mmCIF file of all heavy atoms in Angstrom:
data_model
loop_
_atom_site.group_PDB
_atom_site.id
_atom_site.type_symbol
_atom_site.label_atom_id
_atom_site.label_comp_id
_atom_site.label_asym_id
_atom_site.label_seq_id
_atom_site.Cartn_x
_atom_site.Cartn_y
_atom_site.Cartn_z
ATOM 1 N N PRO Q 213 404.891 56.430 68.720
ATOM 2 C CA PRO Q 213 406.138 56.041 69.395
ATOM 3 C C PRO Q 213 405.924 54.841 70.309
ATOM 4 O O PRO Q 213 404.862 54.665 70.908
ATOM 5 C CB PRO Q 213 406.508 57.290 70.204
ATOM 6 C CG PRO Q 213 405.822 58.411 69.509
ATOM 7 C CD PRO Q 213 404.546 57.834 68.959
ATOM 8 N N ARG Q 214 406.955 54.014 70.435
ATOM 9 C CA ARG Q 214 406.850 52.775 71.204
ATOM 10 C C ARG Q 214 406.424 53.036 72.645
ATOM 11 O O ARG Q 214 405.571 52.325 73.181
ATOM 12 C CB ARG Q 214 408.188 52.030 71.185
ATOM 13 C CG ARG Q 214 408.138 50.686 71.913
ATOM 14 C CD ARG Q 214 409.451 49.941 71.810
ATOM 15 N NE ARG Q 214 409.353 48.634 72.457
ATOM 16 C CZ ARG Q 214 409.434 48.431 73.764
ATOM 17 N NH1 ARG Q 214 409.634 49.458 74.584
ATOM 18 N NH2 ARG Q 214 409.340 47.212 74.265
ATOM 19 N N ARG Q 215 406.994 54.048 73.276
ATOM 20 C CA ARG Q 215 406.646 54.326 74.669
ATOM 21 C C ARG Q 215 405.161 54.643 74.800
ATOM 22 O O ARG Q 215 404.501 54.193 75.750
ATOM 23 C CB ARG Q 215 407.486 55.486 75.189
ATOM 24 C CG ARG Q 215 407.171 55.874 76.633
ATOM 25 C CD ARG Q 215 408.085 56.968 77.134
ATOM 26 N NE ARG Q 215 409.484 56.522 77.192
ATOM 27 C CZ ARG Q 215 410.486 57.270 77.614
ATOM 28 N NH1 ARG Q 215 410.261 58.509 78.006
ATOM 29 N NH2 ARG Q 215 411.711 56.791 77.638
ATOM 30 N N GLU Q 216 404.642 55.377 73.833
ATOM 31 C CA GLU Q 216 403.220 55.726 73.869
ATOM 32 C C GLU Q 216 402.356 54.482 73.639
ATOM 33 O O GLU Q 216 401.293 54.328 74.255
ATOM 34 C CB GLU Q 216 402.935 56.788 72.801
ATOM 35 C CG GLU Q 216 401.546 57.386 72.874
ATOM 36 C CD GLU Q 216 401.363 58.521 71.886
ATOM 37 O OE1 GLU Q 216 402.359 59.208 71.572
ATOM 38 O OE2 GLU Q 216 400.218 58.711 71.413
ATOM 39 N N ARG Q 217 402.800 53.587 72.755
ATOM 40 C CA ARG Q 217 402.053 52.347 72.516
ATOM 41 C C ARG Q 217 401.999 51.493 73.770
ATOM 42 O O ARG Q 217 400.957 50.946 74.132
ATOM 43 C CB ARG Q 217 402.683 51.541 71.378
ATOM 44 C CG ARG Q 217 402.540 52.149 70.005
ATOM 45 C CD ARG Q 217 402.732 51.084 68.920
ATOM 46 N NE ARG Q 217 403.944 50.299 69.112
ATOM 47 C CZ ARG Q 217 405.136 50.619 68.641
ATOM 48 N NH1 ARG Q 217 405.287 51.751 67.968
ATOM 49 N NH2 ARG Q 217 406.184 49.828 68.838
ATOM 50 N N VAL Q 218 403.122 51.357 74.441
ATOM 51 C CA VAL Q 218 403.178 50.546 75.659
ATOM 52 C C VAL Q 218 402.271 51.141 76.735
ATOM 53 O O VAL Q 218 401.521 50.422 77.414
ATOM 54 C CB VAL Q 218 404.626 50.430 76.165
ATOM 55 C CG1 VAL Q 218 404.657 49.769 77.550
ATOM 56 C CG2 VAL Q 218 405.474 49.636 75.178
ATOM 57 N N ALA Q 219 402.318 52.454 76.882
ATOM 58 C CA ALA Q 219 401.458 53.115 77.868
ATOM 59 C C ALA Q 219 399.986 52.893 77.536
ATOM 60 O O ALA Q 219 399.155 52.684 78.435
ATOM 61 C CB ALA Q 219 401.784 54.607 77.924
ATOM 62 N N GLY Q 220 399.682 52.908 76.246
ATOM 63 C CA GLY Q 220 398.301 52.667 75.835
ATOM 64 C C GLY Q 220 397.839 51.266 76.150
ATOM 65 O O GLY Q 220 396.690 51.054 76.565
ATOM 66 N N GLU Q 221 398.744 50.283 75.973
ATOM 67 C CA GLU Q 221 398.393 48.900 76.280
ATOM 68 C C GLU Q 221 398.122 48.732 77.773
ATOM 69 O O GLU Q 221 397.163 48.074 78.179
ATOM 70 C CB GLU Q 221 399.537 47.967 75.857
ATOM 71 C CG GLU Q 221 399.724 47.836 74.358
ATOM 72 C CD GLU Q 221 398.551 47.173 73.685
ATOM 73 O OE1 GLU Q 221 397.964 46.238 74.262
ATOM 74 O OE2 GLU Q 221 398.204 47.593 72.568
ATOM 75 N N VAL Q 222 398.972 49.329 78.586
ATOM 76 C CA VAL Q 222 398.805 49.229 80.035
ATOM 77 C C VAL Q 222 397.479 49.862 80.468
ATOM 78 O O VAL Q 222 396.728 49.294 81.277
ATOM 79 C CB VAL Q 222 399.986 49.900 80.763
ATOM 80 C CG1 VAL Q 222 399.717 49.980 82.261
ATOM 81 C CG2 VAL Q 222 401.277 49.138 80.491
ATOM 82 N N ALA Q 223 397.184 51.024 79.909
ATOM 83 C CA ALA Q 223 395.941 51.712 80.259
ATOM 84 C C ALA Q 223 394.727 50.903 79.819
ATOM 85 O O ALA Q 223 393.717 50.835 80.539
ATOM 86 C CB ALA Q 223 395.919 53.095 79.619
ATOM 87 N N TRP Q 224 394.823 50.274 78.653
ATOM 88 C CA TRP Q 224 393.701 49.469 78.152
ATOM 89 C C TRP Q 224 393.446 48.266 79.059
ATOM 90 O O TRP Q 224 392.297 47.995 79.417
ATOM 91 C CB TRP Q 224 394.001 49.006 76.723
ATOM 92 C CG TRP Q 224 392.976 48.065 76.179
ATOM 93 C CD1 TRP Q 224 391.666 48.332 75.898
ATOM 94 C CD2 TRP Q 224 393.178 46.685 75.857
ATOM 95 N NE1 TRP Q 224 391.035 47.204 75.421
ATOM 96 C CE2 TRP Q 224 391.938 46.179 75.378
ATOM 97 C CE3 TRP Q 224 394.284 45.833 75.907
ATOM 98 C CZ2 TRP Q 224 391.794 44.859 74.976
ATOM 99 C CZ3 TRP Q 224 394.136 44.509 75.494
ATOM 100 C CH2 TRP Q 224 392.894 44.042 75.040
ATOM 101 N N VAL Q 225 394.512 47.579 79.437
ATOM 102 C CA VAL Q 225 394.352 46.411 80.312
ATOM 103 C C VAL Q 225 393.728 46.835 81.640
ATOM 104 O O VAL Q 225 392.798 46.198 82.144
ATOM 105 C CB VAL Q 225 395.715 45.727 80.543
ATOM 106 C CG1 VAL Q 225 395.603 44.683 81.651
ATOM 107 C CG2 VAL Q 225 396.211 45.080 79.262
ATOM 108 N N ARG Q 226 394.213 47.939 82.209
ATOM 109 C CA ARG Q 226 393.713 48.395 83.501
ATOM 110 C C ARG Q 226 392.257 48.855 83.411
ATOM 111 O O ARG Q 226 391.446 48.571 84.306
ATOM 112 C CB ARG Q 226 394.594 49.544 84.009
ATOM 113 C CG ARG Q 226 394.175 50.077 85.376
ATOM 114 C CD ARG Q 226 395.017 51.265 85.806
ATOM 115 N NE ARG Q 226 396.442 50.922 85.891
ATOM 116 C CZ ARG Q 226 397.392 51.488 85.166
ATOM 117 N NH1 ARG Q 226 397.083 52.421 84.283
ATOM 118 N NH2 ARG Q 226 398.662 51.129 85.306
ATOM 119 N N SER Q 227 391.910 49.537 82.329
ATOM 120 C CA SER Q 227 390.576 50.148 82.238
ATOM 121 C C SER Q 227 389.496 49.204 81.723
ATOM 122 O O SER Q 227 388.316 49.371 82.058
ATOM 123 C CB SER Q 227 390.634 51.375 81.314
ATOM 124 O OG SER Q 227 391.521 52.347 81.832
ATOM 125 N N PHE Q 228 389.885 48.209 80.910
ATOM 126 C CA PHE Q 228 388.863 47.383 80.277
ATOM 127 C C PHE Q 228 389.036 45.888 80.516
ATOM 128 O O PHE Q 228 388.057 45.187 80.778
ATOM 129 C CB PHE Q 228 388.829 47.674 78.762
ATOM 130 C CG PHE Q 228 388.506 49.105 78.450
ATOM 131 C CD1 PHE Q 228 389.504 49.975 78.045
ATOM 132 C CD2 PHE Q 228 387.216 49.587 78.595
ATOM 133 C CE1 PHE Q 228 389.215 51.310 77.777
ATOM 134 C CE2 PHE Q 228 386.919 50.913 78.337
ATOM 135 C CZ PHE Q 228 387.919 51.780 77.926
ATOM 136 N N VAL Q 229 390.259 45.381 80.422
ATOM 137 C CA VAL Q 229 390.449 43.940 80.578
ATOM 138 C C VAL Q 229 390.210 43.517 82.023
ATOM 139 O O VAL Q 229 389.489 42.540 82.286
ATOM 140 C CB VAL Q 229 391.865 43.516 80.126
ATOM 141 C CG1 VAL Q 229 392.064 42.023 80.377
ATOM 142 C CG2 VAL Q 229 392.074 43.854 78.657
ATOM 143 N N VAL Q 230 390.808 44.225 82.980
ATOM 144 C CA VAL Q 230 390.653 43.851 84.386
ATOM 145 C C VAL Q 230 389.180 43.899 84.826
ATOM 146 O O VAL Q 230 388.685 42.943 85.446
ATOM 147 C CB VAL Q 230 391.537 44.743 85.287
ATOM 148 C CG1 VAL Q 230 391.219 44.503 86.756
ATOM 149 C CG2 VAL Q 230 393.016 44.464 85.009
ATOM 150 N N PRO Q 231 388.422 44.960 84.495
ATOM 151 C CA PRO Q 231 386.997 44.948 84.868
ATOM 152 C C PRO Q 231 386.220 43.814 84.201
ATOM 153 O O PRO Q 231 385.324 43.232 84.820
ATOM 154 C CB PRO Q 231 386.496 46.318 84.393
ATOM 155 C CG PRO Q 231 387.712 47.184 84.393
ATOM 156 C CD PRO Q 231 388.830 46.280 83.977
ATOM 157 N N TRP Q 232 386.577 43.486 82.944
ATOM 158 C CA TRP Q 232 385.888 42.389 82.247
ATOM 159 C C TRP Q 232 386.134 41.073 82.972
ATOM 160 O O TRP Q 232 385.199 40.295 83.211
ATOM 161 C CB TRP Q 232 386.379 42.307 80.805
ATOM 162 C CG TRP Q 232 385.670 41.283 79.973
ATOM 163 C CD1 TRP Q 232 384.514 41.446 79.261
ATOM 164 C CD2 TRP Q 232 386.070 39.916 79.761
ATOM 165 N NE1 TRP Q 232 384.176 40.276 78.625
ATOM 166 C CE2 TRP Q 232 385.115 39.316 78.913
ATOM 167 C CE3 TRP Q 232 387.147 39.148 80.208
ATOM 168 C CZ2 TRP Q 232 385.202 37.988 78.502
ATOM 169 C CZ3 TRP Q 232 387.235 37.814 79.799
ATOM 170 C CH2 TRP Q 232 386.269 37.259 78.956
ATOM 171 N N VAL Q 233 387.382 40.821 83.340
ATOM 172 C CA VAL Q 233 387.706 39.597 84.071
ATOM 173 C C VAL Q 233 386.992 39.580 85.421
ATOM 174 O O VAL Q 233 386.452 38.550 85.852
ATOM 175 C CB VAL Q 233 389.228 39.477 84.269
ATOM 176 C CG1 VAL Q 233 389.556 38.321 85.213
ATOM 177 C CG2 VAL Q 233 389.931 39.285 82.923
ATOM 178 N N GLY Q 234 386.935 40.734 86.072
ATOM 179 C CA GLY Q 234 386.250 40.810 87.359
ATOM 180 C C GLY Q 234 384.783 40.448 87.256
ATOM 181 O O GLY Q 234 384.246 39.733 88.117
ATOM 182 N N ARG Q 235 384.129 40.908 86.200
ATOM 183 C CA ARG Q 235 382.710 40.558 86.011
ATOM 184 C C ARG Q 235 382.555 39.056 85.791
ATOM 185 O O ARG Q 235 381.619 38.442 86.309
ATOM 186 C CB ARG Q 235 382.123 41.339 84.834
ATOM 187 C CG ARG Q 235 381.893 42.806 85.116
ATOM 188 C CD ARG Q 235 380.961 43.430 84.085
ATOM 189 N NE ARG Q 235 381.505 43.365 82.728
ATOM 190 C CZ ARG Q 235 382.302 44.280 82.192
ATOM 191 N NH1 ARG Q 235 382.684 45.336 82.918
ATOM 192 N NH2 ARG Q 235 382.731 44.164 80.944
ATOM 193 N N ARG Q 236 383.469 38.468 85.017
ATOM 194 C CA ARG Q 236 383.390 37.019 84.771
ATOM 195 C C ARG Q 236 383.519 36.245 86.080
ATOM 196 O O ARG Q 236 382.789 35.291 86.331
ATOM 197 C CB ARG Q 236 384.494 36.582 83.807
ATOM 198 C CG ARG Q 236 384.482 37.185 82.428
ATOM 199 C CD ARG Q 236 383.360 36.689 81.532
ATOM 200 N NE ARG Q 236 382.080 37.328 81.821
ATOM 201 C CZ ARG Q 236 381.773 38.583 81.494
ATOM 202 N NH1 ARG Q 236 382.668 39.353 80.897
ATOM 203 N NH2 ARG Q 236 380.603 39.083 81.786
ATOM 204 N N LEU Q 237 384.479 36.660 86.911
ATOM 205 C CA LEU Q 237 384.711 35.953 88.168
ATOM 206 C C LEU Q 237 383.512 36.065 89.109
ATOM 207 O O LEU Q 237 383.243 35.170 89.906
ATOM 208 C CB LEU Q 237 385.972 36.497 88.849
ATOM 209 C CG LEU Q 237 387.300 36.218 88.125
ATOM 210 C CD1 LEU Q 237 388.449 36.921 88.838
ATOM 211 C CD2 LEU Q 237 387.567 34.718 88.046
ATOM 212 N N ARG Q 238 382.785 37.185 89.012
ATOM 213 C CA ARG Q 238 381.618 37.383 89.882
ATOM 214 C C ARG Q 238 380.328 36.870 89.247
ATOM 215 O O ARG Q 238 379.258 36.977 89.849
ATOM 216 C CB ARG Q 238 381.458 38.873 90.209
ATOM 217 C CG ARG Q 238 382.617 39.474 90.993
ATOM 218 C CD ARG Q 238 382.255 40.853 91.531
ATOM 219 N NE ARG Q 238 381.851 41.765 90.485
ATOM 220 C CZ ARG Q 238 382.677 42.533 89.780
ATOM 221 N NH1 ARG Q 238 383.998 42.464 90.002
ATOM 222 N NH2 ARG Q 238 382.231 43.350 88.850
ATOM 223 N N GLY Q 239 380.440 36.333 88.023
ATOM 224 C CA GLY Q 239 379.249 35.859 87.343
ATOM 225 C C GLY Q 239 378.329 36.976 86.914
ATOM 226 O O GLY Q 239 377.115 36.781 86.788
#
Side-chain angles (χ1 to χ4, degrees):
R214 183 177 183 280
R215 179 176 296 181
E216 189 174 330
R217 291 200 310 272
V218 171
E221 290 295 323
V222 172
W224 174 66
V225 169
R226 181 183 300 119
S227 299
F228 300 104
V229 177
V230 171
W232 184 87
V233 171
R235 287 196 299 272
R236 299 289 79 74
L237 293 175
R238 297 192 303 272

